Amino acid sequence: MPVVERAERIEPDDANVWTRRLVLFLRVMAVLSIVKGLYHWAQVTGFIGGEDEAFENQAMAWQAATVYFAVIELVAAVGLWLATPWGAVVWLTTVVSMAVIELMFPGIYGGSLLVVAGEASMLAAYLALAWMAARERPP
């Protein structure tokens, strides 16, 4: 009796399309968080800026905010790249923190509404993707 093997057709899995999009978005945000974190570390270490813009010559509020973002952006980047729940929470903390600092304390980083709009759009994109991904997996 011959054994007949049946080739199964592999079709793309459309069931998790929003989840894949969410993971891709998280990876892009991870790269952006690495860039932002390294930028803040460059400010702390003096790799960028002149002598007048040196870390030691800045106000205490600017120094505290810069160190905070230098650390938390890199932590968020690791969590985002791994697509862990805590990574999203840390990233959301950085997004909200930057928006609050720009809006409520304009003396620290200048109060740019463009930065606030960018942070808000990233937050809205994350919430929309997370909602659509959650709809793919009903309870």
Side-chain angles (χ1 to χ4, degrees):
M1 216 183 223
V3 177
V4 178
E5 292 185 31
R6 205 172 52 168
E8 295 182 18
R9 220 168 51 173
I10 300 175
E11 296 180 15
D13 185 18
D14 289 339
N16 293 325
V17 68
W18 287 105
T19 302
R20 287 194 308 268
R21 289 176 183 169
L22 176 62
V23 171
L24 177 63
F25 177 78
L26 292 177
R27 297 268 167 98
V28 170
M29 291 300 104
V31 172
L32 184 61
S33 289
I34 288 173
V35 169
K36 288 167 55 178
L38 292 177
Y39 171 77
H40 288 293
W41 273 114
Q43 289 179 315
V44 170
T45 58
F47 280 133
I48 59 173
E51 201 170 303
D52 294 338
E53 301 165 350
F55 182 78
E56 306 86 33
N57 297 335
Q58 299 296 329
M60 184 66 71
W62 185 93
Q63 290 177 350
T66 302
V67 169
Y68 168 77
F69 286 114
V71 173
I72 200 166
E73 289 283 359
L74 296 179
V75 172
V78 171
L80 287 172
W81 189 263
L82 298 175
T84 60
W86 63 264
V89 170
V90 174
W91 178 74
L92 289 171
T93 302
T94 65
V95 168
V96 172
S97 297
M98 182 59 81
V100 167
I101 285 178
E102 290 287 351
L103 285 176
M104 306 291 266
F105 305 101
I108 295 177
Y109 287 136
S112 172
L113 292 179
L114 186 61
V115 172
V116 174
E119 300 288 341
S121 65
M122 288 187 298
L123 178 61
Y126 170 75
L127 292 175
L129 287 169
W131 182 63
M132 295 302 286
R135 290 184 59 198
E136 286 181 339
R137 294 172 267 120

